[in-house]
């Protein structure tokens, strides 16, 4: 089995698993310039199947890394959900239409896109951030955590043995239930993938040069993003807790030939007695069907006999459910079948050194379109925190907030999935007296309520050292009523503002890219009025002073906004103000580039894109204004008065480390 | 000079020059699958300088090829023009603000982007359409046109000798006036260009293998897009006619260090006695300054002594004009100087076999931001016509419309530039009695009027066999009043409509990609009313009949929409209609993909993007509807009643060729 032992190297963060959760982690660390390796035992990335919905919030996150537009352009947008139920004669009919994304909650709406494309966006992003690449065909074989070193900031308490597989070993075996002959044919992606393939093949040959060798890696931090059967979780001895159910579902990705009029809508179809179908329209003329397979056909409640499930059986079930409409296909892209189960991990980290994310800590059914989203959002929550600690900007203690924040999301998710799956899998009630059946009104209600949860926008992180909610234990307390719609613990909402210097409209979120920076948002109010102007002068003096938190936490020689960025949105008329009306700290000077024209914004009418009405939408009084602190992941840490510089200083003092003290 | 003679090959179209006009031609031909070569004598593409504005219309065209979003994302948007004039004390002050793009005329606004990036978009597009590549370091040396063959459709009447240069010969000499040491430093594009460089270098070595050889190419058609000193134009013996002027302008691309408050706006600054500056804010913190150099300093009206012009001299002039504001720089990206001249070619083609486009047929000053746009729009007008003729779909006679349509645009352009340049170069009037001075009111007025021209949206092509305006000679006559805002000869305006099948909003222009197809737009009206439904049934029967123009001009075995595509927009409520309410020809069937869900749209309210109000905006009566025919370049050919199938049939019969007749 080749060499071992002596071949030892050091890395800040080791990521195991290059699915969406692992790639999101890698995206953060690459962007923040943290020394990282990401390994995956598979030899190639996924090519078909595994489509999934992308929530609004996920698209916002993609956009913050600079590739939201690629997903938005390529994906299929789902606009409407059509609910189909039996009428009094048992024939299915459309009973309701509801918007798939609640209007107004985000600048994006839910879309569907092949997972292989999403992975491609991450890989391109990592490449553009210094060239971090996935090492494929690499399998961890041994993991040790030296508990005596976990609190020592410069230590490498983690030791991992990695085995480099041969190309043949790294190519996953085809499973009988998930592949058939025609599944490989995917015209849409072939052109994209041909470019991918070249690079993959070059790397595969490099991989084979190392085949069957083993190396030892010492790491400061580690992420196990290695899926439902997580090897990392197993090594840590953590369990997933929860249950599985009897419901068996088949999945077909087909180009449908059908007279069903809503085949390009997201549909939930409950038949009278034949089960349910969910229709998910996809890109490239494909439609995904989730089809309930009646338990009777499959061994009555026992673990299903998968050998009896094939595309013809699944299609036959769909045809019964969707009758009298006809449905068939000539093109099958992929298919599978699964049983529903909901489980959550008992622990999300070992000593805040080794973390788990994604399917490694929560599993559930795919139909709610949540899996990939919640997984990526796990590591989106964690990535900047680890980067900040590794770079010496923050105390290790902020890492405890990962489990505090994400475990609740995982629990909410499985509760949602549990309720939703049962409503969807159940037989519709024949009438009001049919107590065993599912009420279609209750189903519609659950769908509508679930939509907010499913958007990812509802996520609300608890009070902590980095979310200054009004709790007794928190030394810094926000004044939420100064900006009632900029809610503590939730992601910063977005409306359009104009750049003061060039009148260009920007969604405010577009000015909050994921680059590891904290942000102090100065809602300056109407600065053409003297009281607001004076507040800004005083705040500018405090922020600009030598001992301010802006100065204290900035590494020597670094750019003025490298750790904490100040962004201002005022409410004066644009034409009555220019950037030189603000103290220098709000529009800093660079010896090469001159004044910074990209820090001051105004809530005013644009020429071509309307008026964002930020102050009105966020509930901020232009005669008061406020200060808002945003985390690097755009979640709201603090809301307080413009006058209270000290509270913000105290907030940052709670977890930040001045460079000299490090 | 190597071998000659025997090395002879055949190509449908040969393009000389790989600037924007040549690349636009190549984009069309690559998209339409026409056998094409494109050669350029330069060894590499441009890397800095040569920024230019992109008009709304140019962005619409880019979007029709699929890369509008890339330009829109990377470019700097110019939103506002600020006019600065001397006050009564001779000190400059802001006298007016006007929108840079007239609100509402397009879904895009004018932007500025480095020409090298624009060329990159074209090259990527060509690569994705079958791999057409620019052959660099290739120089035409001899051109012959056999006039006896020009009317013979399958002939190759053009013979061109091409010399392959060595890498050293193909690298352009640095000119003293356009390069200095610091000009190479361009941080923004370095990362993009490093990828470019690799590919360029590989090709350069291939180029050297052919160095100093000569080959003979026989072509059906040829485009000279080889710039103001066009070799092709010279070979044809055509001239440019017009004049040059005394005005000398310097250009600086700098990262400005200044207290001038509008440096990120487009500004026209007239000083009292020191000349004028135009400010063009660019991407990457750069600003381009066009700076008038007083003639006194440069040899009083004679051809300027360029050796005396350098960045310090130009900056000095800017500092005088912009005083009392200060301006300097540490970063200079590029600079040049030029004298204004306006000229138009006497002829745009030789026998509609060899064509000229871009600077080869019109030159003018760069400040109006028109040059690259009009050049690209020349070949955008021509490309689909040549493709259509080469593929045997259209009679050669349509090629006459190129000069008919584009010569007028070139003349309008130089008239606009002539007027605008003089207004901008002149000294502002001191008061109403100062008749030698320029009235600032007249200047503002010209700027506002010029804005519509400069957008590219105002282009209005004359009556011809492919634009059925109401003229005596035209056998097919439109009924413009059925859609007063869908103006014959102009490009199809755009508002949002919803896809009937999935409720997704689309700008109607997004459904008109540049792929060579003609389109019949069926504005079906309110199809929930019986009279409209009956009209659509009758139209569907005519279109679906065996002898219809849809069937006649479709090559055997080709897809139903490969030559003429039918798109429908109805005005009924979306929820009351589905695609199966329309005859099959409006939503054709494919044996693999099933029904076509992408042909029928509705003018209704969207969930997230408002209501396009197409019928109201275009002035179409939902109780009448109409038929509109669009050219492959989105210009309006015909407007008529839904009932008049025959007129549309007659229109296409005027120039189309049935496959069997070919």
């Amino acid at each position: 089995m080749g060499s071992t032992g002596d071949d030892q190297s050091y890395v800040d963060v080791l990521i195991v698993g290059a699915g969406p959760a692992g790639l999101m982690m890698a995206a953060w660390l690459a962007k923040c310039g943290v020394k990282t390796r990401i390994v995956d035992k598979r030899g190639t990335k996924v090519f078909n199947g595994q489509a999934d919905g992308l929530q609004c919030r996920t698209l916002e996150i993609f956009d913050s890394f600079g590739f939201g537009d690629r997903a938005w352009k390529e994906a299929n947008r789902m606009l409407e959900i059509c609910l189909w139920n039996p009428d009094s004669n048992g024939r299915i009919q459309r009973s309701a239409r509801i918007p798939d994304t609640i209007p107004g909650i985000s600048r994006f709406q839910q879309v569907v896109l092949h997972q292989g494309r999403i992975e491609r966006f991450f890989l391109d992003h990592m490449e553009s951030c210094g060239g971090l690449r996935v090492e494929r065909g690499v399998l961890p074989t041994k993991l040790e955590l030296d508990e005596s070193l976990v609190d020592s900031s410069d230590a490498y308490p983690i030791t991992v043995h990695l085995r480099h597989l041969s190309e043949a070993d790294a190519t996953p075996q085809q499973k009988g239930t998930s592949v058939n002959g025609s599944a490989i044919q995917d015209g849409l992606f072939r052109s994209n993938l041909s470019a991918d393939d070249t690079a993959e093949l070059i790397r595969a040959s490099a991989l084979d040069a190392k085949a069957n060798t083993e190396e030892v890696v010492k790491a400061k931090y580690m992420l196990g993003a290695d899926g439902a059967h997580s090897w990392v979780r197993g090594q840590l001895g953590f369990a997933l807790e929860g249950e599985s159910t009897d419901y068996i579902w088949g999945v077909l990705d087909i180009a449908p030939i059908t007279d069903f009029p809503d085949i390009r809508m997201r549909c939930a179809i409950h038949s009278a007695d034949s089960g349910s179908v969910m229709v998910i329209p996809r890109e490239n003329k494909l439609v995904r069907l989730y089809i309930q397979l009646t338990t009777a056909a499959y061994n009555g409640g026992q673990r299903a006999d998968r050998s009896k499930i094939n595309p013809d059986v699944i299609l036959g079930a769909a045809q019964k459910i969707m009758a009298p409409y006809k449905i068939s296909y000539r093109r099958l892209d992929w298919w599978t079948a699964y049983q529903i189960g909901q489980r959550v991990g008992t622990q999300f980290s070992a000593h805040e050194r080794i973390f788990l994310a994604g399917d490694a800590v929560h599993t559930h059914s795919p139909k709610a379109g949540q899996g990939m989203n919640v997984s990526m959002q796990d590591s989106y929550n964690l990535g900047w925190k680890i980067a900040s600690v590794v770079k010496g900007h923050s105390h290790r203690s902020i890492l405890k907030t990962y489990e505090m924040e994400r475990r609740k999301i995982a629990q909410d998710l499985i509760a949602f999935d549990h309720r939703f799956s049962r409503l969807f899998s159940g037989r519709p009630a024949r009438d009001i007296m049919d107590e065993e059946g599912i009420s279609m009104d209750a189903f519609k209600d659950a769908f509508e309520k679930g939509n907010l949860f499913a958007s990812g926008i509802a996520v609300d992180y608890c009070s902590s050292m980095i979310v200054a909610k009004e709790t007794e234990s928190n030394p810094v307390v926000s004044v939420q009523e100064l900006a009632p719609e900029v809610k503590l613990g939730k992601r910063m909402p977005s409306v359009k503002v104009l750049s003061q210097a060039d009148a260009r409209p920007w969604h405010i979120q577009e000015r909050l890219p994921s680059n590891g920076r904290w942000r102090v948002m100065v809602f300056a109010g109407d600065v053409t009025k003297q009281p607001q102007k004076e507040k800004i002068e005083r705040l500018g003096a405090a922020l600009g002073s030598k001992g301010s938190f802006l100065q204290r936490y900035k590494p020597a020689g670094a750019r003025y906004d490298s750790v904490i960025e100040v962004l201002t949105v005022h409410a004066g008329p644009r034409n009555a103000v220019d950037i030189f009306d603000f103290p220098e700290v709000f529009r800093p000077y660079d010896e090469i580039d001159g004044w910074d024209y990209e820090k001051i914004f105004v809530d005013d009418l644009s020429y071509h894109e309307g008026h964002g009405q930020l102050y009105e939408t966020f509930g901020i009084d232009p005669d008061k204004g406020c200060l808002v602190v945003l985390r690097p992941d755009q979640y709201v840490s603090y809301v307080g008065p413009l006058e209270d510089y000290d509270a913000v200083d105290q907030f940052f003092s709670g977890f930040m480390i001045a460079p000299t003290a490090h």
Side-chain angles (χ1 to χ4, degrees), chain A residues 500-501 527 570 573-582 587 600:
Chain A
Q500 176 64 48
V527 292
H570 75 86
R574 178 175 66 84
N575 288 353
V577 175
D578 70 49
I579 68 162
F580 298 107
D581 292 330
F582 290 82
R587 38 146 188 113
I600 300 177

Side-chain angles (χ1 to χ4, degrees), chain A residues 635-648:
Chain A
Y635 286 79
V636 179
S637 286
Y638 168 83
V639 177
L642 279 179
E643 296 88 337
D644 199 355
Y645 164 87
D646 290 342
V648 181

Side-chain angles (χ1 to χ4, degrees), chain A residues 520 522 535-554 560 564-566 568 582-589 627 642 645-646 648-649:
Chain A
V520 176
V522 179
K535 285 179 204 169
I536 291 304
E537 294 291 344
R538 280 194 294 271
L539 179 62
L543 289 170
S545 72
K546 219 174 167 65
S548 83
F549 62 84
L550 287 184
Q551 300 299 321
R552 282 204 312 278
Y553 300 121
K554 184 178 83 61
Y560 45 79
I564 304 173
E565 179 177 30
V566 178
T568 300
F582 290 82
E584 181 170 335
V585 72
F586 298 109
R587 38 146 188 113
Y589 184 77
L627 285 172
L642 279 179
Y645 164 87
D646 290 342
V648 181
D649 196 303

Side-chain angles (χ1 to χ4, degrees), chain A residues 123-174:
Chain A
L123 298 177
D124 289 348
H125 169 79
M126 288 153 54
E127 187 75 38
S128 74
C129 294
L132 178 60
R133 286 185 180 169
V134 176
E135 300 170 52
R136 299 195 188 277
V138 177
L139 185 74
T141 56
K142 193 174 171 191
L143 167 61
E144 288 167 341
L145 176 63
D146 184 342
E147 294 189 10
S148 71
L149 296 175
V150 295
D151 291 324
S152 166
S153 63
D154 287 330
Y156 291 82
I158 302 162
T159 305
V160 180
H161 291 238
L162 294 178
R163 180 175 302 158
H164 293 257
L165 304 177
S166 68
E167 176 64 11
D169 288 342
T171 304
Q173 283 194 300
Q174 310 274 5

